[in-house]
Amino acid sequence: GIQVEQSPPDLILQEGANSTLRCNFSDSVNNLQWFHQNPWGQLINLFYIPSGTKQNGRLSATTVATERYSLLYISSSQTTDSGVYFCAVDVGDDKIIFGKGTRLHILP
Amino acid sequence: SAVISQKPSRDICQRGTSLTIQCQVDSQVTMMFWYRQQPGQSLTLIATANQGSEATYESGFVIDKFPISRPNLTFSTLTVSNMSPEDSSIYLCSVTAGGGTDTQYFGPGTRLTVL
């Protein structure tokens, strides 16, 4: 089946820093989503981005479907950005497969 | 978007017992999904629940262990049967937004600890 790999697995940054998270996938996909799981376990959908670039405040995402990767950019990090960031790809019938996530810890 | 609630939010159960988790959505949806997230791990799809038909289970998950009901377009339950400590996980339900987008929305999860 399709493989979804995320890097880096862990990231520790000082508040105010910028970061780039990467998601590689092994086959063509219908769409790709980025999620943030906060320390309380709630999953929040950040972007639905099968291709192209989207921006939402300090966050932006770019997916290059032809090269099978997506990037999530976080600028001017805040402590509330801490948590785990997952990318997930649609493998058909609305079923999505998750990567293993990037655990981000922002230090005050 | 969709607003999803789950009950209970957390529970501590004894080995050998069963727990039923409820998932309620604020709008009618065709498909609902159940996921398991083991401690420190990513999310794994357990099954897809369609109203009016049997749930479709992913490899490694069976109906006897995780029976699912889907009585209408806004509600589903997942039962974790004959629990063991290995079943300690967060269980999440999700739905697809529809309306031309496949964005998925997740409930807050049920944190289960089996002693």
Side-chain angles (χ1 to χ4, degrees):
Chain A
I2 192 168
Q3 303 296 314
V4 181
E5 295 182 356
Q6 292 188 241
S7 60
D10 296 281
L11 190 57
I12 301 174
L13 297 173
Q14 206 69 39
E15 197 169 25
N18 302 327
S19 59
T20 300
L21 283 56
R22 187 177 180 100
C23 174
N24 293 332
F25 42 97
S26 61
D27 204 347
S28 301
V29 297
N30 296 328
N31 67 65
L32 182 144
Q33 301 178 65
W34 282 97
F35 295 89
H36 175 219
Q37 187 170 39
N38 65 25
W40 297 270
Q42 177 71 59
L43 267 171
I44 305 297
N45 187 291
L46 299 176
F47 292 104
Y48 171 87
I49 184 164
S51 63
T53 297
K54 291 186 177 180
Q55 181 155 6
N56 185 1
R58 296 180 296 103
L59 274 61
S60 65
T62 295
T63 297
V64 183
T66 53
E67 298 186 21
R68 300 177 185 168
Y69 73 88
S70 183
L71 302 173
L72 178 68
Y73 306 95
I74 305 174
S75 65
S76 304
S77 299
Q78 300 176 359
T79 55
T80 52
D81 294 330
S82 295
V84 184
Y85 290 80
F86 291 103
C87 75
V89 299
D90 187 340
V91 295
D93 296 325
D94 284 348
K95 292 195 297 187
I96 61 175
I97 302 297
F98 282 77
K100 293 186 176 181
T102 292
R103 188 172 299 273
L104 178 64
H105 189 49
I106 305 298
L107 302 174
Chain B
S1 65
V3 177
I4 305 171
S5 60
Q6 285 185 235
K7 290 182 182 180
S9 58
R10 60 178 61 233
D11 207 342
I12 301 174
C13 300
Q14 295 297 318
R15 181 195 300 259
T17 62
S18 298
L19 177 72
T20 295
I21 302 167
Q22 300 178 8
C23 178
Q24 180 76 53
V25 189
D26 68 340
S27 58
Q28 294 184 339
V29 294
T30 302
M31 290 194 286
M32 297 177 76
F33 304 90
W34 286 98
Y35 287 84
R36 181 177 72 182
Q37 186 177 27
Q38 295 175 301
Q41 303 297 313
S42 184
L43 282 80
T44 302
L45 180 64
I46 298 172
T48 303
N50 294 331
Q51 192 266 341
S53 63
E54 293 287 333
T56 303
Y57 290 82
E58 298 300 305
S59 176
F61 298 96
V62 295
I63 187 170
D64 289 345
K65 177 67 175 178
F66 297 101
I68 289 171
S69 77
R70 183 79 200 275
N72 57 53
L73 292 174
T74 64
F75 186 79
S76 178
T77 66
L78 170 76
T79 298
V80 186
S81 303
N82 188 24
M83 289 184 285
S84 66
E86 292 71 34
D87 294 319
S88 298
S89 298
I90 300 174
Y91 292 86
L92 302 101
C93 67
S94 76
V95 303
T96 303
T101 174
D102 296 327
T103 302
Q104 284 216 352
Y105 295 92
F106 282 81
T110 295
R111 192 177 296 269
L112 172 62
T113 301
V114 184
L115 302 178

